[in-house]
Amino acid sequence: MLEDVPRDPFADDPNDPSSAMGELDDAEPLTAAERDEAITDLADVEVFRSLLEPQGVLGLVLDCPECGEQHYFDWELLRGNLRQMIENGRPQVHEPAFHPDPADYVSWEYARGYVDGVIDTEERH
Ligand SMILES: [Zn+2]
């Protein structure tokens, strides 16, 4: 009976032209406020990475605005996404790390708290 179902001609094609067109349509320029926010986020990510990567933290776990689930992003992916947003105005690439170990990732709030704690400690010395 499966033979009676008409096959999607692009079902096995990773370069499905219809999905590629959809991605291009989603690209919108950032507002000035969004761009400022992305630049601030990029600076935060660099600080988080410099302090947390030596502790064995591989990246951040973030709530995804698109699907409402949590995704794991390594440092390079975070930086690449933000740079792409700033330069091209593209929405964040929906491409979380593959098979992440949740123990290797921390939330943005944790990273922020950790950095603030380190700065406090350094200022007291
Ligand atoms: Zn998602």
Side-chain angles (χ1 to χ4, degrees):
M1 287 306 147
L2 282 173
E3 287 83 349
D4 293 330
V5 180
R7 273 176 54 76
D8 176 350
F10 298 115
D12 299 318
D13 184 351
N15 299 314
D16 181 344
S18 59
S19 70
M21 305 262 278
E23 278 172 33
L24 284 176
D25 286 345
D26 286 342
E28 289 175 24
L30 300 182
T31 66
E34 285 169 340
R35 194 165 184 279
D36 281 352
E37 194 180 344
I39 290 169
T40 305
D41 285 352
L42 180 59
D44 283 346
V45 164
E46 300 286 5
V47 173
F48 294 167
R49 181 181 190 174
S50 69
L51 291 175
L52 289 166
E53 195 171 44
Q55 310 295 323
V57 177
L58 298 185
L60 298 178
V61 52
L62 302 172
D63 291 323
C64 175
E66 285 177 51
C67 67
E69 291 183 18
Q70 293 194 315
H71 291 320
Y72 298 85
F73 294 93
D74 67 28
W75 301 117
E76 280 304 319
L77 194 55
L78 281 164
R79 187 162 67 175
N81 281 353
L82 286 165
R83 284 212 174 132
Q84 198 179 17
M85 277 177 68
I86 293 162
E87 286 164 20
N88 302 330
R90 299 278 171 91
Q92 196 164 356
V93 180
H94 196 214
E95 188 187 313
F98 203 60
H99 294 317
D101 182 344
D104 292 331
Y105 294 77
V106 300
S107 69
W108 190 281
E109 290 73 24
Y110 177 95
R112 163 64 64 204
Y114 184 91
V115 167
D116 288 349
V118 169
I119 292 168
D120 279 354
T121 306
E122 285 177 351
E123 280 174 355
R124 254 182 256 127
H125 283 283

